[in-house]
Amino acid sequence: RERSYVPFQPRERSYVPFQPREHVVPRPGMQPENIAKWRDEFANKRAELEKKHHSFKQPFQRPLKDAMKAGTDIHVSKYKAMPVADRLKLRDDKMKENDELMKKRADIAKKFKEMRDKKAAEAHAELSKKRSRFFSRDKPKKPELVAPVVHPPGSKPKTNLPKKVLSNVPVVKRVFKPTPEEELYGDAAASFVAGIKMGLFNTDKPLEGRRKEALLDWLELLSVSLPPELGVHEVVDALRSHVDFISQGQDKLNKILEEHPLSNNFWSESCSKGRKGQGFSCGFWKLLHIMSVGLSEQRGGIELCFGVDPDDEPRVFSTLEASEVVREYMAQFFGCETCRNNFMSKFDDCSFNRCSRLEGGDPDELTIEDWREFPLWIWEFHNDVSVRVASVKNKMQKKTKSNHMVQQWPKMEDCFLCHQEDGDWDMEEVYEFLEKTYWSGTDVDTPAKALAQYERSLITTRGSRSSLQFYSGVGLLLLLAYTVKRRKVIVTGMRKHFDTTPGGGGKKA
């Protein structure tokens, strides 16, 4: 079928040019004469501003009143008045001085470069030596035989007799054998430093973000809770102030720790059990107990704020906040994976009524009983860990019988009053035993102790008042009976019940 094609034909439109309306009149104030006036005023104002800008001089362009010539002790006015020869001589002397100074700087830089190269060469040589020892396939050399020490006939081998004798003298034995308090603080300090040294860079994660905040919180908590006798406040303050520096690597951390060494870096016999270098877990539990009891005694740091400038006041922790800081430290820096997972699972499950016992919010509103819940919670957690570890050892040694009370602390021979007749713990006696064990060296009359003493005095005063009233009543009754009897004697003249009357012949009166 054929189709017919019709081309497109646009419609013709008529164009009407714009024609302004003649009846429109400009508004008042917008007349042509007004616009010309505004333009003239704007032009005059702009001309004044340009004139003022060109006449203005910058401060450094103005000559100073007491200005000195650069690099000299001569005033500018005197320098301008000097002859040209003197000026040139002054300039030459200054240039020579600058050349000598630059030469000294170059010599110093050269010496520093030589020292760095020498240190790098020594480190490379030491590394090569270690590698050669590690990859060497040669058999280790047998130690050379040393001739035994032969004592002359009739003589005895030398022994450290003076030390053994002096160690038993009551006054002198402290020089050779530390006291239990010194062992306690020494073990806790050694575990603190060892935990920081081994835990901060135990993974490939950098010390930043959440890990850095956890470290700062841990250091601030120890700063307000540990006693000064522990001897770690200097190390704690140094780590807090140089936290950005130690975050760069293990070598920076070791440098800070070497600048503030401890008096003893090893654990005592009670923790190491005769194995030198062992005892971290024992010392760390001691550190937690000291920290928890110290937080209770210092009321989270409130006691340290008295008499201190508000800008220098330490951070104050509540019991709930302190427990969360301990949890973050365990999660980020504790090396034992099994111990870490067990602690975090117990913590997150609110074991030992943690969520209801530990209080948050304003620390000023917490009572003495609320503060004591934190060290008691740490104590219960420690006993649970001791029982669990003992049960694991019994299974490994194939022992069927195990007494849980033997593994718990304190034992009955150490604290008899801590155990009640029904077998439960007396929490007040347990806390007093914890305070005596871990906070015996700082007898400070804090406001909290003064308040507790005042409350006890009120209870004692009430009891004394009631007893005083009782004895006063009894005394009044006795005085009344004596008065009645005395009056009867005066009236009758008889002092006894069967006294004879005058002329009565011994008959009953």
Side-chain angles (χ1 to χ4, degrees), residues 259-495:
E259 292 177 357
H260 306 277
L262 298 178
S263 59
N264 185 17
N265 295 322
F266 299 99
W267 290 273
S268 64
E269 185 69 21
S270 60
C271 280
S272 63
K273 307 300 181 182
R275 296 172 295 178
K276 190 174 182 180
Q278 302 293 327
F280 170 76
S281 299
C282 172
F284 189 75
W285 277 115
K286 291 182 179 180
L287 178 65
L288 289 181
H289 286 302
I290 295 173
M291 178 271 299
S292 61
V293 177
L295 187 81
S296 174
E297 293 295 316
Q298 303 287 1
R299 296 175 63 203
I302 298 177
E303 305 297 341
L304 303 177
C305 298
F306 293 99
V308 181
D309 189 15
D311 297 335
D312 300 333
E313 288 184 357
R315 180 180 173 183
V316 179
F317 293 83
S318 63
T319 55
L320 181 62
E321 188 177 5
S323 65
E324 293 174 351
V325 169
V326 176
R327 187 224 183 254
E328 285 300 315
Y329 175 82
M330 297 290 293
Q332 300 294 338
F333 306 115
F334 204 74
C336 177
E337 184 177 0
T338 305
C339 309
R340 179 173 65 248
N341 295 335
N342 178 68
F343 184 89
M344 293 173 62
S345 63
K346 293 282 187 181
F347 186 93
D348 296 338
D349 294 342
C350 294
S351 299
F352 313 108
N353 300 326
R354 178 189 64 84
C355 299
S356 59
R357 294 171 66 181
L358 304 184
E359 299 289 341
D362 189 3
D364 289 326
E365 298 179 357
L366 299 182
T367 61
I368 298 177
E369 288 73 16
D370 295 336
W371 286 113
R372 292 183 176 183
E373 290 296 332
F374 181 59
L376 290 175
W377 174 73
I378 293 287
W379 164 74
E380 290 185 11
F381 205 112
H382 189 184
N383 275 342
D384 179 74
V385 172
S386 300
V387 172
R388 183 175 57 84
V389 172
S391 62
V392 172
K393 288 183 178 180
N394 291 334
K395 289 181 181 180
M396 294 176 62
Q397 297 176 2
K398 298 181 179 180
K399 293 182 180 180
T400 57
K401 295 182 179 180
S402 61
N403 189 359
H404 291 175
M405 290 301 298
V406 176
Q407 306 300 331
Q408 295 187 4
W409 182 91
K411 299 181 180 179
M412 187 171 292
E413 56 267 21
D414 297 332
C415 181
F416 180 78
L417 297 178
C418 296
H419 301 264
Q420 296 180 355
E421 295 180 358
D422 55 356
D424 293 336
W425 295 99
D426 189 342
M427 291 303 181
E428 294 184 1
E429 294 293 338
V430 170
Y431 180 81
E432 291 183 1
F433 189 78
L434 288 172
E435 183 182 11
K436 180 181 178 182
T437 305
Y438 297 105
W439 200 256
S440 59
T442 55
D443 296 332
V444 182
D445 293 334
T446 59
K449 290 185 178 181
L451 180 60
Q453 186 177 2
Y454 175 70
E455 292 177 352
R456 289 194 297 268
S457 66
L458 288 179
I459 297 173
T460 307
T461 305
R462 291 170 186 171
S464 61
R465 286 179 181 176
S466 60
S467 60
L468 180 60
Q469 293 175 358
F470 172 75
Y471 288 117
S472 300
V474 173
L476 289 175
L477 291 176
L478 293 176
L479 182 61
L480 180 61
Y482 176 77
T483 305
V484 172
K485 183 178 180 181
R486 186 65 180 171
R487 185 174 183 80
K488 183 179 179 182
V489 169
I490 294 173
V491 173
T492 60
M494 294 184 294
R495 298 182 177 274

Side-chain angles (χ1 to χ4, degrees), residues 102-213:
M102 294 300 294
K103 188 176 180 181
K104 289 182 180 179
R105 291 181 178 177
D107 294 340
I108 294 173
K110 185 177 179 181
K111 290 181 180 179
F112 274 112
K113 187 176 182 303
E114 291 176 355
M115 292 172 61
R116 287 195 298 268
D117 295 342
K118 184 178 179 181
K119 191 174 181 179
E122 291 177 355
H124 182 70
E126 186 68 21
L127 182 61
S128 302
K129 189 176 180 181
K130 290 182 179 179
R131 287 178 178 176
S132 62
R133 289 178 183 176
F134 181 77
F135 292 103
S136 178
R137 296 183 179 180
D138 299 337
K139 295 182 179 180
K141 297 181 180 180
K142 295 182 179 180
E144 298 180 358
L145 297 176
V146 180
V149 180
V150 180
H151 300 281
S155 63
K156 296 182 180 180
K158 294 183 179 180
T159 58
N160 199 355
L161 185 61
K163 183 176 180 179
K164 291 183 178 180
V165 174
L166 293 176
S167 61
N168 295 324
V169 179
V171 180
V172 188
K173 69 178 181 181
R174 291 195 59 185
V175 179
F176 304 98
K177 185 179 180 180
T179 62
E181 184 178 352
E182 292 173 348
E183 288 186 358
L184 170 67
Y185 291 152
D187 294 338
S191 293
F192 163 71
V193 174
I196 292 293
K197 188 179 294 185
M198 296 186 302
L200 261 61
F201 299 98
N202 57 354
T203 61
D204 297 335
K205 299 179 182 178
L207 190 61
E208 59 184 9
R210 187 175 179 181
R211 301 183 79 244
K212 189 174 181 179
E213 292 179 1

